[in-house]
Amino acid sequence: MAISRGCLPLVAVLVALLCPGEAAVRELKVGYYAETCPEAEDVVREAMARARAREARSVASVMRLQFHDCFVNGCDGSVLMDATPTMPGEKDALSNINSLRSFEVVDEIKEALEERCPGVVSCADIVVMAARDAVVLTGGPNWEVRLGREDSLTASQEDSDSIMPSPRANASALIRLFAGLNLSVTDLVALSGSHSIGEARCFSIVFRLYNQSGSGRPDPNMDAAYRRALDALCPRGGDEEVTGGMDATPRAFDNRYFRDLVALRGFLNSDQTLFSDNARTRRVVKRFSEDQDAFFRAFVEGMVKMGELQNPRKGEIRRNCRVANGSPSPVTSATTKPVVAYRVVHF
């Protein structure tokens, strides 16, 4: 399955056949920096722990960067790039603007690594390591990450707009998206479990509360008590930048997310649809709601598979994750916003 521009496919394993003239995908391996930057993984985890101590939400925000990076032309750090006068950045894509955050955590990690091992550790690998550490630091499983990616030279707002799903997406659309990335239904449901930690904006759910599918009514697949709590959090005409936890334990990586879906207490439409609208995804949601270890195993497998998506074009090791080496200074991104208040959803 190819994306909309040029010859760059989504499934890296097909690159050599579909894109003659492109560089071969890189072989990733555990311990890639063992000789060139042996402290790399420790540096990342220590920085993530500091970020979590400053703001608990930040580690979930960093983990989300891996999804928005890898789904668009592979795991190449393109989502980290600021716009330039000649390149609209992915940060300003529809699914990312005013939503993706905590880029400063990646900046902090990169600065620390450049001090120890200049020009060695890619920004793309930083995102993958940091995503793993976000899970570990919030009580989830640990796993070895395969490293050795290069950073892209460009970003594509157009490709991000054409690929990344909306919070309104239904299960069938999500299944098709993941299948195009060689990810299974089980991968889809397990990776959606990343919403076990973190928050989302009222902007993403007001249609569920007041005008689901243009009906002028709330989503019927919502527990009544939970809907009342969300009505209070996100009143009609209220501040849509207010955020709420995506499950009842947004600081702990666990299977509560799936138990909430079974109880019709999913925050986003793209979450609740996995239980309410599709028999294939419903079976997996039910299994993970009952077996946290099964969820953890599937989540790790899905994260490793997602991390294998690569950009076949020749890249570099960026010195600054926001700009390609030797590029003009970036313009101010529209994603820079003041931090909004977090409110707990009680039900």
Side-chain angles (χ1 to χ4, degrees):
M1 174 181 175
I3 61 170
S4 59
R5 296 176 56 211
C7 186
L8 185 59
L10 289 175
V11 183
V13 74
L14 299 179
V15 167
L17 295 176
L18 298 181
C19 291
E22 299 284 2
V25 295
R26 296 170 65 85
E27 181 181 356
L28 308 179
K29 65 179 183 179
V30 172
Y32 181 83
Y33 297 110
E35 295 183 3
T36 56
C37 193
E39 298 178 5
E41 294 194 44
D42 290 338
V43 169
V44 175
R45 184 161 297 186
E46 290 166 5
M48 288 291 284
R50 290 193 299 272
R52 181 170 178 256
R54 292 193 301 266
E55 184 201 14
R57 178 188 177 190
S58 64
V59 293
S61 299
V62 173
M63 177 176 63
R64 188 179 173 213
L65 295 177
Q66 180 174 344
F67 290 76
H68 288 246
D69 188 34
C70 294
F71 275 31
V72 181
N73 301 335
C75 310
D76 60 2
S78 59
V79 75
L80 304 174
M81 301 184 79
D82 287 346
T84 71
T86 59
M87 183 193 73
E90 292 169 26
K91 292 178 181 179
D92 295 330
L94 293 174
S95 62
N96 300 340
I97 191 168
N98 300 333
S99 179
L100 290 187
R101 61 194 300 278
S102 296
F103 294 102
E104 72 282 355
V105 177
V106 179
D107 294 338
E108 178 184 334
I109 295 170
K110 181 61 172 174
E111 183 177 351
L113 288 170
E114 286 296 302
E115 289 178 359
R116 290 168 173 78
C117 321
V120 172
V121 182
S122 69
C123 301
D125 277 347
I126 289 172
V127 170
V128 170
M129 288 185 279
R132 183 268 312 273
D133 293 342
V135 175
V136 174
L137 290 168
T138 52
N142 196 4
W143 67 95
E144 293 184 313
V145 289
R146 290 161 54 81
L147 304 170
R149 298 164 188 81
E150 289 185 338
D151 298 320
S152 66
L153 305 179
T154 61
S156 175
Q157 180 180 329
E158 178 184 353
D159 289 348
S160 184
D161 282 337
S162 68
I163 293 167
M164 293 306 299
S166 160
R168 302 187 183 204
N170 61 33
S172 296
L174 293 170
I175 289 171
R176 289 193 298 271
L177 170 65
F178 275 64
L181 297 166
N182 203 31
L183 297 169
S184 68
V185 169
T186 298
D187 295 327
L188 161 62
V189 177
L191 291 173
S192 296
S194 63
H195 290 172
S196 171
I197 55 174
E199 305 159 25
R201 296 178 297 157
C202 288
F203 172 82
S204 299
I205 66 166
V206 288
F207 73 96
R208 290 190 70 204
L209 297 176
Y210 306 111
N211 191 28
Q212 178 77 328
S213 302
S215 66
R217 300 179 61 82
D219 183 353
N221 296 311
M222 192 183 301
D223 173 76
Y226 184 61
R227 181 174 59 78
R228 288 192 294 271
L230 292 183
D231 285 344
L233 179 74
C234 307
R236 191 192 300 269
D239 182 358
E240 294 187 355
E241 297 303 311
V242 168
T243 61
M246 288 189 282
D247 75 358
T249 56
R251 300 291 184 259
F253 194 94
D254 54 24
N255 72 335
R256 181 59 187 262
Y257 165 83
F258 296 104
R259 288 185 281 140
D260 284 351
L261 297 187
V262 172
L264 303 184
R265 295 180 174 185
F267 194 82
L268 298 176
N269 189 79
S270 55
D271 292 327
Q272 190 59 55
T273 185
L274 299 176
F275 181 76
S276 299
D277 299 331
N278 187 281
R280 296 169 67 193
T281 54
R282 182 183 303 115
R283 284 192 293 270
V284 186
V285 169
K286 190 73 161 55
R287 176 159 59 91
F288 290 163
S289 75
E290 298 168 348
D291 188 341
Q292 180 166 280
D293 289 341
F295 161 49
F296 282 2
R297 290 191 298 270
F299 182 82
V300 168
E301 181 177 343
M303 290 293 281
V304 171
K305 289 171 67 175
M306 179 172 61
E308 297 294 315
L309 299 171
Q310 289 193 54
N311 185 337
R313 292 175 177 158
K314 179 63 179 174
E316 64 181 5
I317 307 300
R318 285 187 220 132
R319 293 186 293 272
N320 178 339
C321 291
R322 294 175 179 262
V323 295
N325 297 339
S327 293
S329 298
V331 299
T332 302
S333 171
T335 57
T336 303
K337 291 177 64 66
V339 176
V340 299
Y342 166 67
R343 301 180 189 174
V344 178
V345 182
H346 295 285
F347 53 88

